[in-house]
Amino acid sequence: MRSPTPLWKPVTAPASSVLSGGAGSPSTPSRRKGIVSSLPQPEQSISEVEQSPPGVHWEAVLERPVPEEDVNDTLSPLSISPRISLQEMIDSLPPKSCCDYLVSHFFKHISALFPILHGPTFQRQYTAFMQHPHDVDLPWLALLFALCSLSISTIDESDPRLACVWSQLPMSVMQPSSTVPITVSVSRRLLRTAITCLLQGDFLIRHTFSTFEALLMVIYSLSHNESVDQGWALLGMALNIGIALRCNVDQKNLGPIETERRRRCWAGLLTLHTYQGMLFRDFDMSYLLGIQAPLPADVNDADITNQGIVQPSSRSEPTQMSVMMAKLRLFRLSTQICRHTAGPSRLDQQALRDFDAAIADEQKQWDAAYMVDGSPNILDSNRYAYWCVLQTYAHHLYLLLHRPFHHSRGPCFLPSSRERCISSSAAMISLHKQLYEAPILRNYFWLLSGVTSLKALHAAVALNSCLQDDTDQQMDSFRGEIESLIGRMKDLSGRSHICLRAYRILRHLQAQAGTGDRPTGSSETPFENLFEDLTDIREWMDADLIDWNLDGQLNVFAP
């Protein structure tokens, strides 16, 4: 593993102090000097063994062993990379004042979308780290890097509060590319350092609860800033680590805070699987529904203390966990829908109506929680952003459900399904436009770099298919919406690989539809087939799996 380029001056603090509890829960084993370690316990005497209750030793044998300190005879699959020092890692963090801002920004504008962290607990860990940085546990440091990476990718590079960052960057970093924003470049470097921390902590064989938190944050960042498929292998690792740490079951020896932290992370793990299930049709996530894990409490961070959990006085007001609770319901619903659409029952019209009703019920709940009389809440713009995010899930699921019925030349045409595909596609493209243009949503512009633009691509392909099957001149306005989407994808191409590929595909489909510059001698590709083929997002994200010359003439990767 190549050493990351130090970007900032080191955090200065005494190195001789102890970081108490800064790397996960108090019961979490650590391997660094100064943190309470989990060492092999002294052997029991014969009398102690004889006095132990029956079955205790059998239970102990079945427990997963805790890695011993400084054990070097176990070969980690990733431990052969060149090592870098802890000081080099610390040097790669932004200055403390900027770290403070990035952490604050995360909990203000991002956390509610993926609330796997308990704010007060992270605050204590962060304060302890800043006081004694050299006592930090590598998995927790990976979490901090991942959080900073995600946060900085959501902030405009012109933000004056980042001036202290840019003034300390070398010129090679300040000008990485004429098209890539500096925030994106720095975000990627921070994320690579987070992964370096995990690798040097041998996370595959020595995992703590902070390892689980860090992995989830890395995967979430990849899904929203790079590509959903890049997190797939890590997601499998996170699932197994979460099970190994028993985050899917309640542990009697843990207090309310530690219990809720584990429940939240397990919930986050499930919601990350939703992206895979909705965007990749050949993965059946229904096996996860069989794991009956306790749900996190739908309360605010301040309501969770070591004395217990205080239920909110009013159920009408959303909590910091309300979006996650909605995403958990969407995980269950989307898993059932994706299994249905991949099986022989996908043409069952009664099932279609039942799933439609279930999605509509979810939408009603979101309207009640986040809108004011059907209008955006201008007093709390975050709530409107949450509503927009959840609506993208709903319209994507509508498109998956109605795709088999949308085209008059299909095996089972329903005019109502074509109307639903048109309305949901238009709604999805409109949501993409609002996130791009609306000042009230400026803090959520970053969502367009990842999974949200994937959904918009799917909507544009669906809408194009419907337009080719309808001669109604009133549909021309929708063609204009697709052209506007193409322009936005082009503008976003510098900060997002997903948007770059989406732009090239949409430009090609525009040419095939006759609304762009058609290549000479091109042949038509039936749009009902394109809707079928391009909803398998896995193919267009992997250049080795698809013939990019869709009509034999135009290479979509051409400049």
Side-chain angles (χ1 to χ4, degrees):
M1 174 67 63
R2 187 174 61 185
S3 171
T5 304
L7 301 183
W8 293 280
K9 295 178 181 178
V11 178
T12 57
S16 60
S17 306
V18 175
L19 175 57
S20 176
S25 68
S27 62
T28 297
S30 171
R31 296 174 304 285
R32 291 207 165 273
K33 182 180 179 181
I35 309 177
V36 177
S37 302
S38 180
L39 297 173
Q41 299 298 314
E43 294 184 5
Q44 289 178 294
S45 66
I46 295 177
S47 60
E48 288 176 325
V49 171
E50 291 174 346
Q51 295 172 7
S52 300
V56 167
H57 305 295
W58 192 357
E59 291 296 326
V61 169
L62 294 176
E63 287 185 356
R64 187 177 299 275
V66 175
E68 298 179 5
E69 183 153 348
D70 297 328
V71 173
N72 297 316
D73 59 351
T74 301
L75 179 63
S76 167
L78 299 175
S79 63
I80 58 177
S81 304
R83 314 291 284 185
I84 63 174
S85 69
L86 175 61
Q87 185 62 55
E88 287 179 281
M89 295 179 184
I90 294 174
D91 288 349
S92 297
L93 278 171
K96 181 182 182 303
S97 60
C98 187
C99 269
D100 292 348
Y101 174 48
L102 294 176
V103 170
S104 175
H105 181 85
F106 174 85
F107 281 98
K108 185 176 182 180
H109 297 295
I110 305 173
S111 178
L113 293 174
F114 194 59
I116 64 169
L117 304 179
H118 179 244
T121 297
F122 186 87
Q123 168 92 44
R124 289 191 294 271
Q125 296 170 341
Y126 179 77
T127 300
F129 166 70
M130 285 299 174
Q131 292 173 348
H132 313 296
H134 292 85
D135 293 333
V136 71
D137 193 41
L138 283 179
W140 188 88
L141 187 58
L143 173 63
L144 179 59
F145 271 108
L147 186 153
C148 288
S149 169
L150 180 59
S151 194
I152 205 168
S153 70
T154 71
I155 302 173
D156 194 283
E157 56 266 29
S158 64
D159 190 324
R161 288 163 290 193
L162 296 180
C164 62
V165 177
W166 310 147
S167 63
Q168 299 185 49
L169 289 176
M171 290 301 298
S172 59
V173 179
M174 282 297 293
Q175 298 176 339
S177 167
S178 59
T179 58
V180 178
I182 182 62
T183 49
V184 174
S185 178
V186 173
S187 173
R188 289 171 179 168
R189 286 170 173 263
L190 291 171
L191 193 61
R192 283 196 295 268
T193 309
I195 296 173
T196 299
C197 292
L198 289 172
L199 292 177
Q200 291 202 187
D202 291 331
F203 77 100
L204 289 181
I205 59 173
R206 295 183 177 94
H207 28 262
T208 66
F209 181 63
S210 291
T211 309
F212 191 37
E213 290 178 311
L215 266 179
L216 295 178
M217 197 64 69
V218 166
I219 298 166
Y220 184 78
S221 182
L222 287 172
S223 297
H224 287 281
N225 290 295
E226 296 294 332
S227 178
V228 177
D229 63 319
Q230 290 187 17
W232 175 240
L234 290 176
L235 192 57
M237 296 180 189
L239 173 62
N240 288 326
I241 289 174
I243 292 173
L245 296 174
R246 304 185 68 198
C247 293
N248 58 313
V249 296
D250 280 342
Q251 302 176 54
K252 295 180 179 179
N253 61 324
L254 298 180
I257 291 178
E258 296 304 317
T259 296
E260 281 303 308
R261 290 177 66 199
R262 283 154 179 75
R263 289 182 179 183
R264 287 183 173 195
C265 281
W266 187 262
L269 177 76
L270 295 182
T271 62
L272 288 173
H273 279 83
T274 306
Y275 302 146
Q276 303 291 337
M278 291 174 63
L279 297 172
F280 301 96
R281 294 179 302 171
D282 53 351
F283 299 134
D284 185 355
M285 304 294 176
S286 57
Y287 70 96
L288 291 171
L289 297 178
I291 303 178
Q292 301 298 319
L295 295 177
D298 187 9
V299 297
N300 294 317
D301 281 357
D303 298 326
I304 306 172
T305 67
N306 282 323
Q307 286 68 48
I309 299 175
V310 179
Q311 295 299 322
S313 58
S314 172
R315 284 292 177 184
S316 60
E317 285 295 308
T319 70
Q320 292 170 309
M321 286 296 293
S322 293
V323 175
M324 178 65 87
M325 305 308 289
K327 285 186 175 182
L328 282 173
R329 297 193 303 270
L330 281 169
F331 166 72
R332 178 171 295 276
L333 180 57
S334 65
T335 299
Q336 295 168 345
I337 288 175
C338 291
R339 188 176 189 181
H340 163 75
T341 58
S345 65
R346 68 187 189 133
L347 299 180
D348 183 344
Q349 295 186 26
Q350 182 57 51
L352 176 70
R353 289 189 288 270
D354 292 343
F355 282 127
D356 266 353
I359 298 172
D361 285 344
E362 285 294 324
Q363 290 178 299
K364 290 178 182 177
Q365 292 187 55
W366 307 336
D367 288 347
Y370 299 114
M371 302 289 274
V372 178
D373 298 327
S375 299
N377 188 333
I378 61 173
L379 302 182
D380 187 350
S381 60
N382 288 344
R383 292 193 183 187
Y384 185 53
Y386 305 154
W387 181 87
C388 290
V389 169
L390 293 173
Q391 289 294 338
T392 66
Y393 284 85
H395 292 297
H396 190 89
L397 289 175
Y398 278 132
L399 292 176
L400 290 179
L401 275 171
H402 288 271
R403 188 204 54 74
F405 307 92
H406 85 285
H407 205 281
S408 63
R409 293 196 295 274
C412 189
F413 172 62
L414 291 175
S416 58
S417 285
R418 178 164 63 193
E419 293 174 4
R420 167 52 72 184
C421 283
I422 291 172
S423 62
S424 283
S425 295
M428 184 82 78
I429 294 172
S430 174
L431 290 167
H432 190 278
K433 182 178 182 180
Q434 289 184 65
L435 287 166
Y436 183 88
E437 295 181 351
I440 194 176
L441 297 174
R442 182 61 188 173
N443 286 317
Y444 297 90
F445 181 83
W446 60 276
L447 289 170
L448 301 178
S449 295
V451 68
T452 303
S453 283
L454 279 178
K455 295 174 183 177
L457 170 69
H458 182 218
V461 174
L463 186 55
N464 241 330
S465 182
C466 294
L467 292 178
Q468 296 303 306
D469 193 41
D470 199 316
T471 59
D472 190 344
Q473 295 300 315
Q474 294 182 353
M475 302 287 279
D476 287 343
S477 62
F478 292 122
R479 293 187 175 91
E481 290 300 318
I482 294 177
E483 292 175 6
S484 296
L485 175 64
I486 294 173
R488 294 195 296 275
M489 291 293 191
K490 181 180 180 180
D491 182 63
L492 293 165
S493 295
R495 63 185 303 123
S496 168
H497 299 304
I498 287 176
C499 293
L500 175 62
R501 294 188 177 187
Y503 162 65
R504 288 168 172 169
I505 287 177
L506 291 175
R507 188 184 62 177
H508 186 92
L509 297 186
Q510 184 186 43
Q512 286 185 313
T515 57
D517 297 329
R518 182 187 300 277
T520 304
S522 66
S523 58
E524 287 289 334
T525 300
F527 273 84
E528 67 274 19
N529 294 337
L530 283 177
F531 189 14
E532 169 71 25
D533 295 339
L534 290 182
T535 50
D536 188 352
I537 302 296
R538 176 177 56 91
E539 292 187 353
W540 74 263
M541 285 199 296
D542 189 339
D544 295 330
L545 296 179
I546 191 169
D547 178 10
W548 288 101
N549 295 301
L550 292 178
D551 62 4
Q553 299 290 329
L554 179 63
N555 187 339
V556 296
F557 280 116

